[in-house]
Amino acid sequence: MSLIRIIVSAIYVVAQVFLARPSLVEGRQARNLLLGQTSGHHHGTQDASLSDSYNNNSELPRFAEEIQNVTVSVGRDALLACVVDNLRHYKVAWVRVDTQTILSIHQNVITQNPRITLSYNDHRSWYLHIKEVQEVDRGWYMCQVNTDPMKSRQGYVQVVVPPSIITKETSTDMVVREASNVTLTCKATGYPEPYVMWRREDGKNINYNGESVNVVDGEVLHIVKISRLHMGAYLCIASNGVPPSVSKRVSLRVQFPPMLSIPNQLEGAYIGQDVTLECHTEAYPNSINYWTTERGDMIVSGNSVSGDKYEAVATDSGYNKYMMLKIRNVGPKDFGSYKCVAQNSLGGTDGVIKLDEIPAPSTTSTTQPPYYATSAHKNGRNSNKKSRQRPIDYEVEEWRNPDYDRDYGPASMRPPGEVPDVRSPGVYHRARLVLHLSSSLLSLLLPAIRR
């Protein structure tokens, strides 16, 4: 360090020879730049060694404003501004406070750091540029004026770093058995120190220490007696107020043997109907699901098979699977028991659904039946056969149908072996009319005969 200071002092002396007037006052100012107390006062406070008489001297340089602190993300550019009024023949220098490294003297850059440059405007504003800021650039920077005693202002460069997840110290995808304990870890770096939290990718709550929570704070997510409800993708999210926040996805799979549930263990159908049987299963790893008949014959193997008689469909949703068996045009041989089966590497299970026959629904006719009346025939029998209602006793229109027997009505109701009466309607009408007139005449003569 002593050698470096000697070299820097030599450079400065050479610079003063070419840039400054030789005077006793300026010699003391040069010594102030190199040997002055570069105190670590914060927020640009002025050196406390200034005397009252010096402050009242309006001919000396004075700082027009404080040096503003700068906050910049790593990789960006930083700019510090030092504004001095009444500088006249005095010189301005930039110094790194923590290392006491001279960065520039007046219009010349001294440091060998290629990322640091200098610009100025009207001999009043002096700007220190730091390109592609790195974390090592974080700290205090001083602007000095080589008065006697030396004047200075300080500004702080805050270098912030967006969060970054340390992959080698963060958990990867995991597959565990149900009821075991699981620990997920996430490590992150950044400046300021990142805040780390865990949450589910699907937005569902996490069953954590007996509570249902949406977010778990901290680098570690420890789950006791994990269940299938914990299965899913988890996000480790790190943030520190410096955009962007970052996350890492960890998939957590929980293994368990198949389980199933049947909504209806007894189904009914009538002949000719289409019927659907349902079965719900849960398993991880994914199970092989199929249906069998009462005799043990496999109906379907795989996710979806269609045929003339059966249609089987299996729909996956995570570790859940919905099984459906549709039986078309149910016949007598289709009644009986059906079994849904689920198997994976950890075990298997099955459930039985019974299909029973039920009566077919009755159909109601909308056609009104014809109205019939009973009548006594000439043979004296009270017949229950039906004939059309006649408006008068001797109307004979109904007999015009040769398939209609006058004694028994429709030919289908005639007793076996009975010969149908196919006499002419006119003959039958006249005979009946004579019989009616004879009865009337007899009813008139009987009272006279009795007297």
Side-chain angles (χ1 to χ4, degrees), residues 241-310:
V242 182
S245 298
V246 292
S247 65
K248 178 175 173 58
R249 183 179 186 272
V250 179
S251 177
L252 183 59
R253 298 297 175 187
V254 182
Q255 292 183 327
F256 60 95
M259 298 179 62
L260 65 81
S261 63
I262 298 175
N264 298 304
Q265 293 182 309
L266 181 62
E267 292 281 0
Y270 55 85
I271 300 296
Q273 183 185 3
D274 291 350
V275 67
T276 299
L277 310 182
E278 296 180 339
C279 184
H280 300 271
T281 67
E282 298 179 2
Y284 191 83
N286 291 334
S287 58
I288 298 174
N289 293 36
Y290 57 91
W291 293 87
T292 64
T293 63
E294 192 172 29
R295 298 182 298 274
D297 299 331
M298 183 182 295
I299 296 176
V300 61
S301 177
N303 287 336
S304 178
V305 174
S306 299
D308 295 336
K309 187 66 177 177
Y310 301 106

Side-chain angles (χ1 to χ4, degrees), residues 6-42:
I6 293 172
I7 295 173
V8 172
S9 299
I11 294 173
Y12 179 74
V13 170
V14 173
Q16 289 293 329
V17 170
F18 288 97
L19 301 175
R21 298 181 205 171
S23 67
L24 180 61
V25 174
E26 291 186 358
R28 287 198 300 269
Q29 293 168 350
R31 287 194 297 275
N32 285 339
L33 284 171
L34 296 174
L35 303 176
Q37 296 297 323
T38 53
S39 63
H41 293 303
H42 301 332

Side-chain angles (χ1 to χ4, degrees), residues 27-245:
R28 287 198 300 269
Q29 293 168 350
R31 287 194 297 275
N32 285 339
L33 284 171
L34 296 174
L35 303 176
Q37 296 297 323
T38 53
S39 63
H41 293 303
H42 301 332
H43 306 297
T45 57
Q46 183 174 350
D47 193 288
S49 63
L50 297 176
S51 62
D52 293 340
S53 61
Y54 178 80
N55 289 332
N56 294 329
N57 191 345
S58 60
E59 296 182 358
L60 294 176
R62 63 180 180 276
F63 292 100
E65 57 189 51
E66 300 291 338
I67 298 176
Q68 299 298 319
N69 297 331
V70 176
T71 299
V72 59
S73 295
V74 66
R76 301 293 183 89
D77 296 345
L79 178 67
L80 292 172
C82 179
V83 181
V84 183
D85 288 337
N86 199 31
L87 184 60
R88 298 191 298 165
H89 59 271
Y90 292 95
K91 306 296 185 293
V92 173
W94 281 99
V95 179
R96 177 76 184 262
V97 175
D98 53 355
T99 62
Q100 299 209 356
T101 303
I102 298 177
L103 304 178
S104 68
I105 298 176
H106 208 54
Q107 300 176 357
N108 300 279
V109 176
I110 304 301
T111 180
Q112 298 299 311
N113 188 341
R115 297 185 293 106
I116 293 181
T117 58
L118 182 72
S119 65
Y120 46 89
N121 183 17
D122 297 333
H123 208 64
R124 181 176 183 268
S125 300
W126 302 84
Y127 301 99
L128 183 69
H129 301 264
I130 308 176
K131 295 182 179 180
E132 299 177 358
V133 169
Q134 301 175 4
E135 288 193 74
V136 295
D137 299 323
R138 184 185 298 118
W140 288 96
Y141 292 79
M142 178 184 290
C143 176
Q144 293 182 353
V145 178
N146 62 339
T147 56
D148 188 15
M150 176 263 295
K151 278 187 173 185
S152 67
R153 286 287 187 272
Q154 295 183 39
Y156 191 82
V157 174
Q158 176 64 280
V159 181
V160 294
V161 182
S164 176
I165 293 177
I166 306 173
T167 303
K168 63 181 181 180
E169 298 184 29
T170 300
S171 299
T172 57
D173 295 347
M174 302 178 66
V175 179
V176 298
R177 288 294 299 269
E178 196 168 33
S180 62
N181 297 336
V182 176
T183 300
L184 301 179
T185 305
C186 180
K187 295 287 186 179
T189 62
Y191 191 89
E193 183 179 357
Y195 158 72
V196 178
M197 67 177 182
W198 288 92
R199 69 175 180 85
R200 287 185 63 119
E201 186 180 47
D202 56 13
K204 296 180 180 178
N205 284 354
I206 304 172
N207 186 4
Y208 189 71
N209 293 335
E211 298 181 0
S212 181
V213 297
N214 187 256
V215 171
V216 176
D217 296 325
E219 298 177 342
V220 177
L221 174 62
H222 184 66
I223 304 175
V224 179
K225 292 185 178 180
I226 194 169
S227 75
R228 67 198 65 180
L229 299 178
H230 290 103
M231 187 183 302
Y234 290 78
L235 295 177
C236 161
I237 302 173
S239 59
N240 63 352
V242 182
S245 298

